[in-house]
Amino acid sequence: LSAMSLMIMHGRDSFLMLQHVAVDVQKSGGKCHAFIEKYKADEAQFKLSVSDRETVSSSTSSSQALVKCNASLEAIAKQSAQTKILQSHRSYHALLEDKDGKFFAVNFDLPIPLQVMSSTKMDVYLQCVQRSALPVADIAKAFDRHYRLCTTDGDSVVAASLRG
């Protein structure tokens, strides 16, 4: 691996580029050795407040009778609750070899927004994991080895959801 070069990228466009790189390496007589998916997740509880404001304007036909009383009516509703938030991170790594025997790696991270969870049950974790996953089945077939790694805070429910 002394002649190894490294490409680091970010986002879904990087995944598309990796697909093209793998195809080009194979067509040129190179090898796709390993494809690694890494997933890290942890949930945290936050107190979120939601505010909703409704305004009835005097210009609507249903409020014509209220024009003399008030120019507009306003209702504000506020709600606060403990909410579970899933913080997760995905990264993908590929080890390839060109036709001259030189190894190179392609690495990229996939930014994942925070996800609100209704509970910390296995099926909810699975939905969150699937929502942020990339369709890697086709690209993984191009590699000799495919690894899926999962890191959590010791919550066995996360690992169980990834196993299916």
PDB file of all heavy atoms in Angstrom, residues 31-64:
ATOM      1  N   LYS A  31      -8.842  -4.133 -10.025  1.00  0.00           N
ATOM      2  CA  LYS A  31      -9.656  -4.927  -9.100  1.00  0.00           C
ATOM      3  C   LYS A  31     -10.300  -4.027  -8.055  1.00  0.00           C
ATOM      4  O   LYS A  31      -9.696  -3.070  -7.597  1.00  0.00           O
ATOM      5  CB  LYS A  31      -8.793  -5.964  -8.382  1.00  0.00           C
ATOM      6  CG  LYS A  31      -8.206  -7.028  -9.283  1.00  0.00           C
ATOM      7  CD  LYS A  31      -7.384  -8.001  -8.473  1.00  0.00           C
ATOM      8  CE  LYS A  31      -6.741  -9.032  -9.371  1.00  0.00           C
ATOM      9  NZ  LYS A  31      -5.871  -9.940  -8.606  1.00  0.00           N
ATOM     10  N   CYS A  32     -11.509  -4.405  -7.688  1.00  0.00           N
ATOM     11  CA  CYS A  32     -12.225  -3.742  -6.590  1.00  0.00           C
ATOM     12  C   CYS A  32     -12.152  -4.692  -5.395  1.00  0.00           C
ATOM     13  O   CYS A  32     -12.813  -5.727  -5.385  1.00  0.00           O
ATOM     14  CB  CYS A  32     -13.671  -3.476  -6.976  1.00  0.00           C
ATOM     15  SG  CYS A  32     -13.862  -2.404  -8.414  1.00  0.00           S
ATOM     16  N   HIS A  33     -11.328  -4.349  -4.419  1.00  0.00           N
ATOM     17  CA  HIS A  33     -11.060  -5.278  -3.318  1.00  0.00           C
ATOM     18  C   HIS A  33     -12.094  -5.250  -2.194  1.00  0.00           C
ATOM     19  O   HIS A  33     -12.633  -6.290  -1.833  1.00  0.00           O
ATOM     20  CB  HIS A  33      -9.671  -5.008  -2.728  1.00  0.00           C
ATOM     21  CG  HIS A  33      -8.568  -5.412  -3.642  1.00  0.00           C
ATOM     22  ND1 HIS A  33      -8.228  -6.723  -3.870  1.00  0.00           N
ATOM     23  CD2 HIS A  33      -7.741  -4.675  -4.416  1.00  0.00           C
ATOM     24  CE1 HIS A  33      -7.232  -6.782  -4.732  1.00  0.00           C
ATOM     25  NE2 HIS A  33      -6.918  -5.546  -5.090  1.00  0.00           N
ATOM     26  N   ALA A  34     -12.349  -4.086  -1.610  1.00  0.00           N
ATOM     27  CA  ALA A  34     -13.224  -4.047  -0.434  1.00  0.00           C
ATOM     28  C   ALA A  34     -14.089  -2.793  -0.435  1.00  0.00           C
ATOM     29  O   ALA A  34     -13.628  -1.707  -0.782  1.00  0.00           O
ATOM     30  CB  ALA A  34     -12.396  -4.098   0.842  1.00  0.00           C
ATOM     31  N   PHE A  35     -15.324  -2.994  -0.021  1.00  0.00           N
ATOM     32  CA  PHE A  35     -16.267  -1.890   0.147  1.00  0.00           C
ATOM     33  C   PHE A  35     -16.778  -1.948   1.583  1.00  0.00           C
ATOM     34  O   PHE A  35     -17.279  -2.985   2.030  1.00  0.00           O
ATOM     35  CB  PHE A  35     -17.424  -2.027  -0.852  1.00  0.00           C
ATOM     36  CG  PHE A  35     -18.437  -0.924  -0.745  1.00  0.00           C
ATOM     37  CD1 PHE A  35     -18.100   0.369  -1.100  1.00  0.00           C
ATOM     38  CD2 PHE A  35     -19.720  -1.180  -0.293  1.00  0.00           C
ATOM     39  CE1 PHE A  35     -19.033   1.398  -1.006  1.00  0.00           C
ATOM     40  CE2 PHE A  35     -20.653  -0.163  -0.201  1.00  0.00           C
ATOM     41  CZ  PHE A  35     -20.307   1.132  -0.550  1.00  0.00           C
ATOM     42  N   ILE A  36     -16.629  -0.855   2.310  1.00  0.00           N
ATOM     43  CA  ILE A  36     -16.972  -0.834   3.735  1.00  0.00           C
ATOM     44  C   ILE A  36     -18.001   0.265   4.000  1.00  0.00           C
ATOM     45  O   ILE A  36     -17.796   1.413   3.621  1.00  0.00           O
ATOM     46  CB  ILE A  36     -15.716  -0.578   4.599  1.00  0.00           C
ATOM     47  CG1 ILE A  36     -14.666  -1.646   4.319  1.00  0.00           C
ATOM     48  CG2 ILE A  36     -16.086  -0.528   6.079  1.00  0.00           C
ATOM     49  CD1 ILE A  36     -13.294  -1.302   4.852  1.00  0.00           C
ATOM     50  N   GLU A  37     -19.093  -0.120   4.656  1.00  0.00           N
ATOM     51  CA  GLU A  37     -20.110   0.833   5.108  1.00  0.00           C
ATOM     52  C   GLU A  37     -19.976   0.965   6.619  1.00  0.00           C
ATOM     53  O   GLU A  37     -19.955  -0.034   7.322  1.00  0.00           O
ATOM     54  CB  GLU A  37     -21.514   0.303   4.841  1.00  0.00           C
ATOM     55  CG  GLU A  37     -21.871   0.037   3.425  1.00  0.00           C
ATOM     56  CD  GLU A  37     -23.264  -0.572   3.353  1.00  0.00           C
ATOM     57  OE1 GLU A  37     -24.236   0.117   3.700  1.00  0.00           O
ATOM     58  OE2 GLU A  37     -23.351  -1.753   2.973  1.00  0.00           O
ATOM     59  N   LYS A  38     -19.892   2.186   7.122  1.00  0.00           N
ATOM     60  CA  LYS A  38     -19.832   2.414   8.562  1.00  0.00           C
ATOM     61  C   LYS A  38     -21.031   3.247   8.980  1.00  0.00           C
ATOM     62  O   LYS A  38     -21.364   4.228   8.325  1.00  0.00           O
ATOM     63  CB  LYS A  38     -18.563   3.157   8.941  1.00  0.00           C
ATOM     64  CG  LYS A  38     -17.302   2.337   8.819  1.00  0.00           C
ATOM     65  CD  LYS A  38     -16.129   3.258   8.868  1.00  0.00           C
ATOM     66  CE  LYS A  38     -15.169   3.016   9.952  1.00  0.00           C
ATOM     67  NZ  LYS A  38     -14.055   3.965   9.947  1.00  0.00           N
ATOM     68  N   TYR A  39     -21.663   2.843  10.077  1.00  0.00           N
ATOM     69  CA  TYR A  39     -22.830   3.564  10.588  1.00  0.00           C
ATOM     70  C   TYR A  39     -22.658   3.745  12.091  1.00  0.00           C
ATOM     71  O   TYR A  39     -22.423   2.776  12.813  1.00  0.00           O
ATOM     72  CB  TYR A  39     -24.102   2.769  10.291  1.00  0.00           C
ATOM     73  CG  TYR A  39     -25.362   3.427  10.794  1.00  0.00           C
ATOM     74  CD1 TYR A  39     -25.928   4.500  10.117  1.00  0.00           C
ATOM     75  CD2 TYR A  39     -25.992   2.979  11.951  1.00  0.00           C
ATOM     76  CE1 TYR A  39     -27.085   5.106  10.576  1.00  0.00           C
ATOM     77  CE2 TYR A  39     -27.146   3.581  12.412  1.00  0.00           C
ATOM     78  CZ  TYR A  39     -27.683   4.645  11.722  1.00  0.00           C
ATOM     79  OH  TYR A  39     -28.829   5.242  12.187  1.00  0.00           O
ATOM     80  N   LYS A  40     -22.747   4.982  12.549  1.00  0.00           N
ATOM     81  CA  LYS A  40     -22.695   5.285  13.979  1.00  0.00           C
ATOM     82  C   LYS A  40     -23.997   5.973  14.354  1.00  0.00           C
ATOM     83  O   LYS A  40     -24.477   6.839  13.623  1.00  0.00           O
ATOM     84  CB  LYS A  40     -21.532   6.232  14.307  1.00  0.00           C
ATOM     85  CG  LYS A  40     -20.171   5.622  14.067  1.00  0.00           C
ATOM     86  CD  LYS A  40     -19.074   6.510  14.603  1.00  0.00           C
ATOM     87  CE  LYS A  40     -18.810   7.648  13.662  1.00  0.00           C
ATOM     88  NZ  LYS A  40     -17.650   8.454  14.019  1.00  0.00           N
ATOM     89  N   ALA A  41     -24.570   5.579  15.504  1.00  0.00           N
ATOM     90  CA  ALA A  41     -25.844   6.185  15.911  1.00  0.00           C
ATOM     91  C   ALA A  41     -25.935   6.270  17.429  1.00  0.00           C
ATOM     92  O   ALA A  41     -25.398   5.428  18.150  1.00  0.00           O
ATOM     93  CB  ALA A  41     -27.012   5.365  15.375  1.00  0.00           C
ATOM     94  N   ASP A  42     -26.633   7.299  17.859  1.00  0.00           N
ATOM     95  CA  ASP A  42     -26.920   7.478  19.277  1.00  0.00           C
ATOM     96  C   ASP A  42     -28.146   8.363  19.388  1.00  0.00           C
ATOM     97  O   ASP A  42     -28.307   9.304  18.615  1.00  0.00           O
ATOM     98  CB  ASP A  42     -25.727   8.126  19.984  1.00  0.00           C
ATOM     99  CG  ASP A  42     -25.911   8.172  21.491  1.00  0.00           C
ATOM    100  OD1 ASP A  42     -26.747   7.400  22.018  1.00  0.00           O
ATOM    101  OD2 ASP A  42     -25.230   8.974  22.149  1.00  0.00           O
ATOM    102  N   GLU A  43     -29.012   8.050  20.338  1.00  0.00           N
ATOM    103  CA  GLU A  43     -30.191   8.887  20.521  1.00  0.00           C
ATOM    104  C   GLU A  43     -30.010   9.744  21.767  1.00  0.00           C
ATOM    105  O   GLU A  43     -29.279   9.396  22.687  1.00  0.00           O
ATOM    106  CB  GLU A  43     -31.474   8.051  20.615  1.00  0.00           C
ATOM    107  CG  GLU A  43     -31.788   7.479  21.975  1.00  0.00           C
ATOM    108  CD  GLU A  43     -30.936   6.282  22.350  1.00  0.00           C
ATOM    109  OE1 GLU A  43     -30.370   5.637  21.466  1.00  0.00           O
ATOM    110  OE2 GLU A  43     -30.848   6.002  23.560  1.00  0.00           O
ATOM    111  N   ALA A  44     -30.657  10.880  21.747  1.00  0.00           N
ATOM    112  CA  ALA A  44     -30.626  11.802  22.872  1.00  0.00           C
ATOM    113  C   ALA A  44     -32.021  12.387  23.047  1.00  0.00           C
ATOM    114  O   ALA A  44     -32.797  12.451  22.098  1.00  0.00           O
ATOM    115  CB  ALA A  44     -29.608  12.911  22.623  1.00  0.00           C
ATOM    116  N   GLN A  45     -32.315  12.821  24.256  1.00  0.00           N
ATOM    117  CA  GLN A  45     -33.611  13.436  24.506  1.00  0.00           C
ATOM    118  C   GLN A  45     -33.460  14.942  24.581  1.00  0.00           C
ATOM    119  O   GLN A  45     -32.537  15.451  25.217  1.00  0.00           O
ATOM    120  CB  GLN A  45     -34.218  12.915  25.804  1.00  0.00           C
ATOM    121  CG  GLN A  45     -34.640  11.475  25.691  1.00  0.00           C
ATOM    122  CD  GLN A  45     -35.565  11.062  26.828  1.00  0.00           C
ATOM    123  OE1 GLN A  45     -35.960  11.863  27.643  1.00  0.00           O
ATOM    124  NE2 GLN A  45     -35.908   9.798  26.855  1.00  0.00           N
ATOM    125  N   PHE A  46     -34.343  15.622  23.885  1.00  0.00           N
ATOM    126  CA  PHE A  46     -34.350  17.080  23.874  1.00  0.00           C
ATOM    127  C   PHE A  46     -35.755  17.554  24.210  1.00  0.00           C
ATOM    128  O   PHE A  46     -36.735  16.896  23.882  1.00  0.00           O
ATOM    129  CB  PHE A  46     -33.969  17.623  22.490  1.00  0.00           C
ATOM    130  CG  PHE A  46     -32.546  17.397  22.127  1.00  0.00           C
ATOM    131  CD1 PHE A  46     -32.187  16.323  21.335  1.00  0.00           C
ATOM    132  CD2 PHE A  46     -31.563  18.251  22.575  1.00  0.00           C
ATOM    133  CE1 PHE A  46     -30.869  16.109  20.992  1.00  0.00           C
ATOM    134  CE2 PHE A  46     -30.240  18.050  22.235  1.00  0.00           C
ATOM    135  CZ  PHE A  46     -29.898  16.985  21.448  1.00  0.00           C
ATOM    136  N   LYS A  47     -35.838  18.697  24.839  1.00  0.00           N
ATOM    137  CA  LYS A  47     -37.139  19.310  25.076  1.00  0.00           C
ATOM    138  C   LYS A  47     -37.385  20.286  23.936  1.00  0.00           C
ATOM    139  O   LYS A  47     -36.676  21.272  23.781  1.00  0.00           O
ATOM    140  CB  LYS A  47     -37.166  20.034  26.422  1.00  0.00           C
ATOM    141  CG  LYS A  47     -38.531  20.549  26.776  1.00  0.00           C
ATOM    142  CD  LYS A  47     -38.582  21.065  28.192  1.00  0.00           C
ATOM    143  CE  LYS A  47     -40.009  21.456  28.516  1.00  0.00           C
ATOM    144  NZ  LYS A  47     -40.146  21.829  29.918  1.00  0.00           N
ATOM    145  N   LEU A  48     -38.373  19.967  23.114  1.00  0.00           N
ATOM    146  CA  LEU A  48     -38.702  20.799  21.971  1.00  0.00           C
ATOM    147  C   LEU A  48     -40.011  21.537  22.220  1.00  0.00           C
ATOM    148  O   LEU A  48     -40.954  20.979  22.785  1.00  0.00           O
ATOM    149  CB  LEU A  48     -38.856  19.953  20.707  1.00  0.00           C
ATOM    150  CG  LEU A  48     -37.612  19.241  20.205  1.00  0.00           C
ATOM    151  CD1 LEU A  48     -37.945  18.427  18.970  1.00  0.00           C
ATOM    152  CD2 LEU A  48     -36.515  20.227  19.893  1.00  0.00           C
ATOM    153  N   SER A  49     -40.063  22.761  21.802  1.00  0.00           N
ATOM    154  CA  SER A  49     -41.286  23.551  21.882  1.00  0.00           C
ATOM    155  C   SER A  49     -41.773  23.845  20.474  1.00  0.00           C
ATOM    156  O   SER A  49     -40.997  24.241  19.614  1.00  0.00           O
ATOM    157  CB  SER A  49     -41.033  24.871  22.607  1.00  0.00           C
ATOM    158  OG  SER A  49     -40.678  24.616  23.941  1.00  0.00           O
ATOM    159  N   VAL A  50     -43.052  23.644  20.265  1.00  0.00           N
ATOM    160  CA  VAL A  50     -43.666  23.903  18.965  1.00  0.00           C
ATOM    161  C   VAL A  50     -44.709  24.987  19.156  1.00  0.00           C
ATOM    162  O   VAL A  50     -45.515  24.938  20.075  1.00  0.00           O
ATOM    163  CB  VAL A  50     -44.323  22.624  18.399  1.00  0.00           C
ATOM    164  CG1 VAL A  50     -45.003  22.920  17.081  1.00  0.00           C
ATOM    165  CG2 VAL A  50     -43.298  21.533  18.247  1.00  0.00           C
ATOM    166  N   SER A  51     -44.680  25.968  18.287  1.00  0.00           N
ATOM    167  CA  SER A  51     -45.638  27.059  18.354  1.00  0.00           C
ATOM    168  C   SER A  51     -46.364  27.153  17.028  1.00  0.00           C
ATOM    169  O   SER A  51     -45.747  27.081  15.968  1.00  0.00           O
ATOM    170  CB  SER A  51     -44.897  28.366  18.654  1.00  0.00           C
ATOM    171  OG  SER A  51     -45.791  29.442  18.685  1.00  0.00           O
ATOM    172  N   ASP A  52     -47.673  27.302  17.091  1.00  0.00           N
ATOM    173  CA  ASP A  52     -48.476  27.403  15.886  1.00  0.00           C
ATOM    174  C   ASP A  52     -49.326  28.663  15.989  1.00  0.00           C
ATOM    175  O   ASP A  52     -49.970  28.906  17.003  1.00  0.00           O
ATOM    176  CB  ASP A  52     -49.367  26.166  15.743  1.00  0.00           C
ATOM    177  CG  ASP A  52     -50.124  26.158  14.431  1.00  0.00           C
ATOM    178  OD1 ASP A  52     -49.645  26.788  13.473  1.00  0.00           O
ATOM    179  OD2 ASP A  52     -51.186  25.526  14.373  1.00  0.00           O
ATOM    180  N   ARG A  53     -49.335  29.443  14.941  1.00  0.00           N
ATOM    181  CA  ARG A  53     -50.088  30.692  14.931  1.00  0.00           C
ATOM    182  C   ARG A  53     -51.085  30.663  13.780  1.00  0.00           C
ATOM    183  O   ARG A  53     -50.730  30.356  12.656  1.00  0.00           O
ATOM    184  CB  ARG A  53     -49.135  31.859  14.775  1.00  0.00           C
ATOM    185  CG  ARG A  53     -49.838  33.199  14.645  1.00  0.00           C
ATOM    186  CD  ARG A  53     -48.854  34.303  14.596  1.00  0.00           C
ATOM    187  NE  ARG A  53     -48.355  34.478  15.957  1.00  0.00           N
ATOM    188  CZ  ARG A  53     -47.368  35.291  16.282  1.00  0.00           C
ATOM    189  NH1 ARG A  53     -46.760  35.983  15.366  1.00  0.00           N
ATOM    190  NH2 ARG A  53     -46.979  35.407  17.518  1.00  0.00           N
ATOM    191  N   GLU A  54     -52.328  30.978  14.094  1.00  0.00           N
ATOM    192  CA  GLU A  54     -53.378  31.046  13.082  1.00  0.00           C
ATOM    193  C   GLU A  54     -53.969  32.440  13.094  1.00  0.00           C
ATOM    194  O   GLU A  54     -54.329  32.953  14.144  1.00  0.00           O
ATOM    195  CB  GLU A  54     -54.476  30.033  13.400  1.00  0.00           C
ATOM    196  CG  GLU A  54     -54.638  28.990  12.327  1.00  0.00           C
ATOM    197  CD  GLU A  54     -55.754  28.041  12.659  1.00  0.00           C
ATOM    198  OE1 GLU A  54     -56.908  28.394  12.357  1.00  0.00           O
ATOM    199  OE2 GLU A  54     -55.452  26.983  13.199  1.00  0.00           O
ATOM    200  N   THR A  55     -54.068  33.039  11.942  1.00  0.00           N
ATOM    201  CA  THR A  55     -54.630  34.378  11.834  1.00  0.00           C
ATOM    202  C   THR A  55     -55.789  34.353  10.857  1.00  0.00           C
ATOM    203  O   THR A  55     -55.673  33.811   9.758  1.00  0.00           O
ATOM    204  CB  THR A  55     -53.559  35.370  11.338  1.00  0.00           C
ATOM    205  OG1 THR A  55     -52.457  35.329  12.225  1.00  0.00           O
ATOM    206  CG2 THR A  55     -54.110  36.773  11.287  1.00  0.00           C
ATOM    207  N   VAL A  56     -56.891  34.932  11.267  1.00  0.00           N
ATOM    208  CA  VAL A  56     -58.052  35.072  10.392  1.00  0.00           C
ATOM    209  C   VAL A  56     -58.095  36.527   9.977  1.00  0.00           C
ATOM    210  O   VAL A  56     -58.251  37.420  10.799  1.00  0.00           O
ATOM    211  CB  VAL A  56     -59.359  34.678  11.111  1.00  0.00           C
ATOM    212  CG1 VAL A  56     -60.544  34.877  10.172  1.00  0.00           C
ATOM    213  CG2 VAL A  56     -59.285  33.247  11.582  1.00  0.00           C
ATOM    214  N   SER A  57     -57.915  36.769   8.705  1.00  0.00           N
ATOM    215  CA  SER A  57     -57.899  38.133   8.193  1.00  0.00           C
ATOM    216  C   SER A  57     -59.313  38.605   7.904  1.00  0.00           C
ATOM    217  O   SER A  57     -60.192  37.809   7.573  1.00  0.00           O
ATOM    218  CB  SER A  57     -57.045  38.196   6.928  1.00  0.00           C
ATOM    219  OG  SER A  57     -57.109  39.469   6.365  1.00  0.00           O
ATOM    220  N   SER A  58     -59.515  39.887   7.997  1.00  0.00           N
ATOM    221  CA  SER A  58     -60.858  40.439   7.755  1.00  0.00           C
ATOM    222  C   SER A  58     -61.230  40.433   6.276  1.00  0.00           C
ATOM    223  O   SER A  58     -62.355  40.725   5.928  1.00  0.00           O
ATOM    224  CB  SER A  58     -60.950  41.857   8.314  1.00  0.00           C
ATOM    225  OG  SER A  58     -60.013  42.680   7.655  1.00  0.00           O
ATOM    226  N   SER A  59     -60.300  40.104   5.399  1.00  0.00           N
ATOM    227  CA  SER A  59     -60.589  40.117   3.969  1.00  0.00           C
ATOM    228  C   SER A  59     -61.322  38.866   3.504  1.00  0.00           C
ATOM    229  O   SER A  59     -61.833  38.836   2.392  1.00  0.00           O
ATOM    230  CB  SER A  59     -59.294  40.289   3.170  1.00  0.00           C
ATOM    231  OG  SER A  59     -58.459  39.192   3.422  1.00  0.00           O
ATOM    232  N   THR A  60     -61.382  37.823   4.326  1.00  0.00           N
ATOM    233  CA  THR A  60     -62.085  36.608   3.920  1.00  0.00           C
ATOM    234  C   THR A  60     -63.577  36.784   4.099  1.00  0.00           C
ATOM    235  O   THR A  60     -64.039  37.518   4.969  1.00  0.00           O
ATOM    236  CB  THR A  60     -61.601  35.387   4.734  1.00  0.00           C
ATOM    237  OG1 THR A  60     -61.913  35.625   6.104  1.00  0.00           O
ATOM    238  CG2 THR A  60     -60.124  35.152   4.558  1.00  0.00           C
ATOM    239  N   SER A  61     -64.339  36.095   3.299  1.00  0.00           N
ATOM    240  CA  SER A  61     -65.801  36.238   3.345  1.00  0.00           C
ATOM    241  C   SER A  61     -66.384  35.704   4.648  1.00  0.00           C
ATOM    242  O   SER A  61     -67.396  36.193   5.117  1.00  0.00           O
ATOM    243  CB  SER A  61     -66.425  35.527   2.149  1.00  0.00           C
ATOM    244  OG  SER A  61     -66.110  34.159   2.197  1.00  0.00           O
ATOM    245  N   SER A  62     -65.752  34.695   5.240  1.00  0.00           N
ATOM    246  CA  SER A  62     -66.281  34.115   6.478  1.00  0.00           C
ATOM    247  C   SER A  62     -66.116  35.033   7.669  1.00  0.00           C
ATOM    248  O   SER A  62     -66.758  34.864   8.686  1.00  0.00           O
ATOM    249  CB  SER A  62     -65.611  32.766   6.753  1.00  0.00           C
ATOM    250  OG  SER A  62     -64.234  32.964   6.945  1.00  0.00           O
ATOM    251  N   SER A  63     -65.251  36.011   7.560  1.00  0.00           N
ATOM    252  CA  SER A  63     -65.029  36.892   8.697  1.00  0.00           C
ATOM    253  C   SER A  63     -65.595  38.296   8.486  1.00  0.00           C
ATOM    254  O   SER A  63     -65.270  39.207   9.223  1.00  0.00           O
ATOM    255  CB  SER A  63     -63.530  36.974   8.995  1.00  0.00           C
ATOM    256  OG  SER A  63     -62.862  37.529   7.888  1.00  0.00           O
ATOM    257  N   GLN A  64     -66.452  38.470   7.490  1.00  0.00           N
ATOM    258  CA  GLN A  64     -67.033  39.791   7.227  1.00  0.00           C
ATOM    259  C   GLN A  64     -67.819  40.316   8.426  1.00  0.00           C
ATOM    260  O   GLN A  64     -67.834  41.511   8.680  1.00  0.00           O
ATOM    261  CB  GLN A  64     -67.929  39.756   5.984  1.00  0.00           C
ATOM    262  CG  GLN A  64     -67.174  39.569   4.686  1.00  0.00           C
ATOM    263  CD  GLN A  64     -66.177  40.685   4.421  1.00  0.00           C
ATOM    264  OE1 GLN A  64     -66.437  41.845   4.720  1.00  0.00           O
ATOM    265  NE2 GLN A  64     -65.029  40.328   3.886  1.00  0.00           N
TER     266      GLN A  64
END
